[in-house]
Amino acid sequence: MFPARSRLRLLPKRGLAMTWEIGESMTGMMHEADIELNVHQGPDYLRTLTPEQGKVCEKVTQALDKQSYETLLLHGVTGSGKTEVYQRLIGEVLVKGGSAILLVPEISLTSQIARYFQDQFGEQLIVLHSGLQVGEKAKAWQDILQGKIRIVVGARSAVFAPLPDLRLIILDEEHESAYHQEENPKYHARNVARKRMEQLRGVVLLGSATPSLEAYAAAQTGKVPLLTMEERVNRRPLPPVEVVDMREELIKGNRSMFSLSLQDKLKRTLERGEQSMLFLNRRGYSTFVVCRECGYVIRCHDCDIALTYHTQGHTMRCHYCNHEEVPPRTCPECGSRYIRFFGQGTQRVEDEIKGLYPAAQILRLDFDTTRSKDAYENILGKFRRQEADILVGTQMMAKGLDFPNVTLVGVVAADQMLNMPDFRARERTFQLLTQVAGRAGRSQKPGQVVIQTYTPEDRAIIQASQHNFKGFFWEEIGYRKARNYPPFTHVIRVTLIHEKEEKVIKGAHSLVNSLRQGIVSDQNGNTSLDILGPAPAVIPRLKNHFRWQVSVKGKLMDTLREFLHQGVRRFARDPISSGIQLNIEVDPLSM
Ligand SMILES: Nc1ncnc2c1ncn2[C@@H]1O[C@H](COP(=O)(O)OP(=O)(O)OP(=O)(O)O)[C@@H](O)[C@H]1O
Ligand SMILES: [Zn+2]
């Protein structure tokens, strides 16, 4: 039923003992030593699908057979074996003469997938990503066009791969914002996939353990069929998650960035010779203001967005509406003097671990250590080969990775992401925590997870610690509705960019005025459109240019587009607008 594989090769060590079907014809071709190995690690394509995997494959195959366009959403918990499902489906497509694209959000994940698929697909598969040299890329496209390549695995831009007879595009980790290209040409890989499959009457499969609110909402309305895998492979349990209240650590006199519990678990994991992963949010470009005693975070009254602290001017600002306040000396909630400006780096985490466990081998995976071309692969490769005990990193290592020896996962500061100045901050936090927790205990050894936070009562943290996606979805969707945020509305953001700050500020105000003129209200003064700002952008100054932003929000995209279009035309007639660069983003993924 599945394509014969062209050559025999043993898989890299996975250390999994499970039920394998070993085909007769195969055992005959192997040496005894190999058979021994394969009882444990056999070729992937010989795996027996779990009943849940089987059902999902069946459903998608039916969609493929219809030869009409369809998008399906696969919600499968971490470690439920989505990769295996993708492999079967692609095998299926190949047998029927088609070709397929599998997208992953980050380059670092392509090699793991390629390794997983290599034995079954061999030379018919290619990994495409923006890290390829021009020559390599040109050669790859030629091979693709000539039909030598039938499967493309890659990051975002691989969605454009010109495969003949394209039948299936899979987006793994569909919730990831990396699928959205923010620079010109702006696009979202999901939308490109959809368009291509509409034209070719094929299937788009979105997969994730933490689907985006948008995708899951579409599934709830019945627009997109929902497929689920609720259990991990071999019924392994999801790891228990301990939420540590960092306010109490302070009371205990522990000023380290690691709670006593996390310190203890790290030590024991090291002693057992197992591996740990420690997560931190990406280097903070925004600092929020928190009370270390009660966990209170200062937010904008109108937008419910964490205020961002600016050293310059010693002030806090809302990046949606530009509300500004002086940071309080004492906590408005509990009166404590422990008001702090928050933002920590991976480097500090590494240093502190070295202090606590001098013998531990530590690897760091973040923006700074992965600038060179092969850095990701090198670091992850070392960790996979168990040449290090602890991997410290940002969310770039949160998803998809499958390391059997990782039994402890620690989230150093869950609040860092929760308090990003963005209405999606809570959704992002839930996704990150769930994904991160999903890295632990994926093999026989049971895993455990520690989440450190100043706000253990936050619903994103509670639901993630209970692995409760549905619970989180319904709470969050209610919040979005109450606050009129997407997916109930659309947002278009205009960023004004110029060398002179004064000009940008004047321009931004002029744009708001121009937009206001276009607001039509009903007899009761209600309008279906909202203007947010002007306010400095989250990154207020970039490459020596000042940046301010104005956003418009409304229920209907067409109305909103037209409204903005008219407003920008009026703005263009104001002399202040000359020379100001406008960057317009429709439904931006970060705000
Ligand atoms: N049918 C199966 N039988 C045995 N092992 C399996 C089967 N399917 C998958 N596995 C193994 O289970 C582990 C988890 O699978 P996989 O990495 O595909 O999970 P996932 O659903 O993609 O998780 P995540 O969302 O965390 O990336 C892998 O080590 C994989 O090799
Ligand atoms: Zn505000």
Side-chain angles (χ1 to χ4, degrees), residues 14 16 18-20 44 47-50 53 76-84 86 112 116 172-173 208-209 229 233-234 236 399-402 435 438-439 442:
R14 280 175 189 278
L16 296 175
M18 43 188 81
T19 50
W20 302 111
D44 286 308
R47 283 180 179 153
T48 318
L49 292 181
T50 65
Q53 285 173 327
V77 299
T78 56
S80 55
K82 292 185 286 294
T83 321
E84 188 72 28
Y86 303 153
Q112 180 176 296
Y116 201 104
D172 191 23
E173 318 285 0
S208 176
M229 301 200 298
V233 170
N234 289 350
R236 285 183 199 115
K399 62 251 158 191
L401 295 173
D402 190 35
Q435 292 290 343
R439 295 317 106 206
R442 294 170 71 89

Coordinates of all heavy atoms in Angstrom, one line a residue, residues 14 16 18-20 44 47-50 53 76-84 86 112 116 172-173 208-209 229 233-234 236 399-402 435 438-439 442, ligand 1:
R14 N 16.7 6.1 18.7 CA 15.5 6.7 19.3 C 15.2 6.2 20.7 O 14.5 6.9 21.4 CB 14.3 6.4 18.4 CG 14.2 7.3 17.2 CD 13.0 6.9 16.3 NE 13.1 7.6 15.1 CZ 12.7 8.9 14.9 NH1 12.1 9.5 15.9 NH2 12.8 9.5 13.8
L16 N 13.4 3.8 21.7 CA 12.0 3.5 22.0 C 11.8 2.0 21.9 O 12.2 1.4 20.9 CB 11.1 4.2 21.0 CG 11.1 5.7 21.0 CD1 10.2 6.2 19.9 CD2 10.6 6.2 22.4
M18 N 8.8 -0.5 21.5 CA 7.4 -0.6 21.4 C 7.0 -1.7 20.4 O 7.8 -2.5 20.0 CB 6.9 0.8 20.9 CG 7.7 1.4 19.8 SD 7.2 3.0 19.4 CE 8.0 3.9 20.7
T19 N 5.8 -1.8 20.1 CA 5.3 -2.9 19.2 C 5.6 -2.6 17.8 O 5.1 -1.6 17.2 CB 3.8 -3.1 19.4 OG1 3.2 -1.8 19.2 CG2 3.5 -3.7 20.7
W20 N 6.4 -3.4 17.2 CA 6.8 -3.2 15.8 C 6.2 -4.4 15.0 O 6.3 -5.5 15.4 CB 8.3 -3.1 15.6 CG 8.9 -2.0 16.3 CD1 9.8 -2.2 17.4 CD2 8.8 -0.7 16.1 NE1 10.2 -1.0 17.8 CE2 9.6 0.0 17.1 CE3 8.1 0.1 15.2 CZ2 9.7 1.4 17.1 CZ3 8.2 1.5 15.3 CH2 9.0 2.1 16.2
D44 N 10.5 3.4 10.6 CA 9.3 4.1 11.0 C 8.1 3.7 10.3 O 7.0 3.6 10.9 CB 9.5 5.6 10.8 CG 10.4 6.2 11.8 OD1 10.2 6.0 13.0 OD2 11.4 6.8 11.4
R47 N 5.6 1.1 11.7 CA 4.8 1.2 12.9 C 3.3 0.9 12.7 O 2.8 1.2 11.7 CB 4.9 2.7 13.3 CG 6.2 2.9 14.0 CD 6.3 4.3 14.4 NE 7.6 4.4 15.0 CZ 8.3 5.5 15.1 NH1 7.9 6.6 14.6 NH2 9.5 5.4 15.7
T48 N 2.7 0.3 13.7 CA 1.3 0.1 13.7 C 0.7 1.5 14.1 O 1.1 2.0 15.2 CB 0.9 -0.9 14.7 OG1 1.8 -2.0 14.6 CG2 -0.5 -1.4 14.4
L49 N -0.2 2.0 13.3 CA -0.8 3.2 13.8 C -1.7 3.0 15.0 O -2.3 1.9 15.1 CB -1.7 3.8 12.6 CG -1.0 4.3 11.4 CD1 -2.1 4.8 10.4 CD2 0.0 5.3 11.7
T50 N -1.8 4.0 15.8 CA -2.7 3.9 17.0 C -4.1 4.1 16.4 O -4.2 4.6 15.3 CB -2.5 5.0 18.0 OG1 -2.7 6.3 17.3 CG2 -1.0 5.0 18.5
Q53 N -4.7 7.6 15.3 CA -3.9 7.9 14.0 C -4.6 7.3 12.8 O -4.7 8.0 11.8 CB -2.5 7.4 14.1 CG -1.6 8.2 15.0 CD -0.2 7.5 15.2 OE1 -0.1 6.2 15.2 NE2 0.8 8.3 15.4
G76 N -4.0 17.4 17.8 CA -3.4 16.2 18.4 C -2.5 16.6 19.5 O -1.6 17.4 19.2
V77 N -2.7 16.1 20.7 CA -1.9 16.6 21.8 C -0.4 16.3 21.5 O -0.1 15.5 20.6 CB -2.3 15.8 23.2 CG1 -3.7 16.2 23.5 CG2 -2.1 14.4 23.1
T78 N 0.5 17.0 22.3 CA 1.9 16.8 22.1 C 2.3 15.3 22.3 O 1.8 14.7 23.2 CB 2.7 17.6 23.1 OG1 2.3 17.2 24.4 CG2 2.5 19.1 22.9
G79 N 3.0 14.8 21.3 CA 3.4 13.4 21.4 C 2.4 12.4 21.0 O 2.5 11.2 21.2
S80 N 1.3 12.9 20.3 CA 0.2 12.0 19.8 C 0.6 11.3 18.5 O -0.1 10.4 18.0 CB -1.1 12.7 19.7 OG -1.0 13.8 18.8
G81 N 1.8 11.7 17.9 CA 2.2 11.1 16.7 C 1.7 11.7 15.4 O 1.3 11.0 14.5
K82 N 1.7 13.0 15.4 CA 1.2 13.7 14.2 C 2.2 13.5 13.0 O 1.7 13.3 11.9 CB 1.0 15.2 14.5 CG -0.1 15.5 15.5 CD -0.4 17.0 15.7 CE 0.7 17.7 16.5 NZ 0.7 17.2 17.9
T83 N 3.5 13.4 13.3 CA 4.5 13.2 12.3 C 4.2 11.9 11.5 O 4.3 11.9 10.3 CB 5.9 13.2 12.9 OG1 5.9 14.2 13.9 CG2 6.9 13.5 11.8
E84 N 3.9 10.9 12.3 CA 3.6 9.6 11.7 C 2.4 9.7 10.8 O 2.4 9.1 9.7 CB 3.3 8.6 12.8 CG 3.2 7.2 12.4 CD 4.5 6.5 12.0 OE1 5.5 7.0 12.5 OE2 4.5 5.6 11.2
Y86 N 1.4 12.4 9.2 CA 1.8 13.1 8.0 C 2.5 12.2 7.0 O 2.3 12.2 5.8 CB 2.8 14.3 8.3 CG 2.2 15.3 9.3 CD1 3.1 16.0 10.1 CD2 0.9 15.5 9.4 CE1 2.6 16.9 11.0 CE2 0.4 16.4 10.3 CZ 1.2 17.1 11.1 OH 0.8 18.1 12.0
Q112 N 14.8 17.3 11.6 CA 14.2 16.2 12.4 C 13.2 15.5 11.5 O 13.1 14.2 11.5 CB 13.6 16.8 13.6 CG 12.9 15.7 14.5 CD 12.4 16.2 15.8 OE1 13.1 16.7 16.7 NE2 11.1 16.2 16.0
Y116 N 13.1 11.7 9.9 CA 12.0 10.8 10.2 C 11.5 10.1 8.9 O 11.1 9.0 8.8 CB 10.8 11.6 10.8 CG 9.8 10.8 11.6 CD1 9.8 10.8 13.0 CD2 8.8 10.1 11.0 CE1 8.9 10.1 13.7 CE2 7.9 9.4 11.7 CZ 7.9 9.4 13.1 OH 7.0 8.7 13.8
D172 N 2.4 21.9 9.7 CA 2.5 21.4 11.1 C 2.7 22.6 12.0 O 3.3 23.7 11.6 CB 3.8 20.5 11.2 CG 3.8 19.8 12.5 OD1 2.8 19.6 13.1 OD2 4.9 19.4 12.9
E173 N 2.2 22.5 13.2 CA 2.2 23.7 14.2 C 1.6 24.9 13.5 O 2.2 26.0 13.5 CB 3.7 24.0 14.6 CG 4.6 22.8 14.9 CD 4.3 22.1 16.2 OE1 3.4 22.6 16.9 OE2 5.0 21.2 16.5
S208 N -1.8 20.8 14.9 CA -1.2 21.4 16.1 C -1.7 20.8 17.3 O -2.8 20.2 17.4 CB -1.5 22.9 16.1 OG -1.0 23.5 17.2
A209 N -0.9 20.9 18.4 CA -1.4 20.5 19.7 C -2.1 21.7 20.3 O -2.9 21.5 21.3 CB -0.2 20.1 20.6
M229 N -6.7 13.9 18.1 CA -6.0 12.8 18.7 C -5.7 13.2 20.2 O -4.9 14.1 20.4 CB -4.6 12.5 18.0 CG -4.9 12.1 16.5 SD -3.5 11.3 15.7 CE -2.2 12.5 15.8
V233 N 1.0 8.6 22.0 CA 1.3 7.3 21.5 C 1.5 6.3 22.7 O 2.1 6.7 23.7 CB 2.5 7.3 20.6 CG1 3.0 5.9 20.2 CG2 2.2 8.1 19.3
N234 N 1.0 5.1 22.6 CA 1.1 4.1 23.6 C 0.6 4.5 24.9 O 1.0 4.1 26.0 CB 2.6 3.7 23.8 CG 3.1 2.9 22.6 OD1 2.3 2.5 21.8 ND2 4.4 2.7 22.5
R236 N 1.0 7.0 26.7 CA 1.9 7.6 27.7 C 1.1 8.8 28.2 O 0.5 9.5 27.5 CB 3.1 8.1 27.0 CG 4.0 6.9 26.7 CD 5.3 7.4 26.1 NE 5.9 6.3 25.4 CZ 6.1 6.2 24.1 NH1 5.8 7.2 23.3 NH2 6.7 5.1 23.6
K399 N 8.7 23.9 20.3 CA 7.7 22.9 19.6 C 8.4 21.9 18.8 O 9.5 22.1 18.3 CB 6.7 23.7 18.8 CG 7.4 24.5 17.7 CD 7.3 25.9 17.9 CE 8.4 26.6 17.1 NZ 8.6 27.9 17.4
G400 N 7.6 20.8 18.6 CA 8.0 19.8 17.6 C 9.2 18.9 18.0 O 9.2 17.8 17.6
L401 N 10.1 19.4 18.8 CA 11.3 18.6 19.1 C 11.0 17.3 19.9 O 10.1 17.4 20.8 CB 12.4 19.4 19.8 CG 12.9 20.6 19.0 CD1 13.8 21.4 19.8 CD2 13.6 20.0 17.7
D402 N 11.6 16.3 19.5 CA 11.3 14.9 20.1 C 12.6 14.3 20.7 O 13.4 13.7 19.9 CB 10.7 14.0 19.0 CG 10.2 12.8 19.6 OD1 9.6 12.8 20.7 OD2 10.2 11.7 18.9
Q435 N 3.1 23.6 24.6 CA 4.1 23.0 23.7 C 5.4 22.7 24.5 O 5.9 21.6 24.3 CB 4.5 24.0 22.6 CG 3.4 24.3 21.6 CD 3.2 23.1 20.7 OE1 3.9 22.2 20.6 NE2 2.0 23.2 20.1
G438 N 5.0 19.8 26.5 CA 5.0 18.6 25.7 C 6.3 18.0 25.3 O 6.4 16.9 24.7
R439 N 7.4 18.7 25.6 CA 8.7 18.2 25.3 C 9.2 17.1 26.3 O 10.1 16.4 26.1 CB 9.8 19.3 25.3 CG 9.7 20.3 24.2 CD 9.3 19.8 22.9 NE 7.9 20.2 22.6 CZ 7.1 19.5 21.8 NH1 7.5 18.5 21.2 NH2 5.9 19.9 21.6
R442 N 8.5 12.1 26.5 CA 7.9 11.6 25.3 C 8.2 10.1 25.0 O 7.7 9.5 24.1 CB 8.4 12.5 24.1 CG 7.8 13.9 24.2 CD 8.5 14.8 23.2 NE 8.1 14.5 21.9 CZ 7.1 15.1 21.3 NH1 6.3 15.9 21.9 NH2 6.8 14.8 20.0
Ligands
LIG1 N1 2.1 4.5 15.8 C1 3.2 4.7 16.5 N2 3.8 3.7 17.2 C2 4.8 3.9 18.0 N3 5.5 5.1 18.1 C3 5.0 6.1 17.5 C4 3.8 6.0 16.6 N4 3.5 7.2 16.1 C5 4.5 8.0 16.6 N5 5.3 7.4 17.4 C6 6.5 8.0 18.2 O1 5.9 8.9 19.2 C7 6.7 10.0 19.4 C8 5.9 11.3 19.2 O2 5.4 11.5 17.9 P1 5.5 12.9 17.2 O3 6.8 13.5 17.4 O4 5.0 12.7 15.8 O5 4.4 13.7 18.0 P2 3.6 15.0 17.7 O6 2.2 14.7 17.7 O7 4.2 15.6 16.4 O8 4.0 15.9 18.9 P3 4.3 17.4 19.0 O9 3.0 18.2 18.8 O10 4.8 17.5 20.4 O11 5.4 17.7 18.0 C9 7.8 10.0 18.4 O12 9.0 9.5 19.0 C10 7.3 9.0 17.4 O13 8.4 8.3 16.8

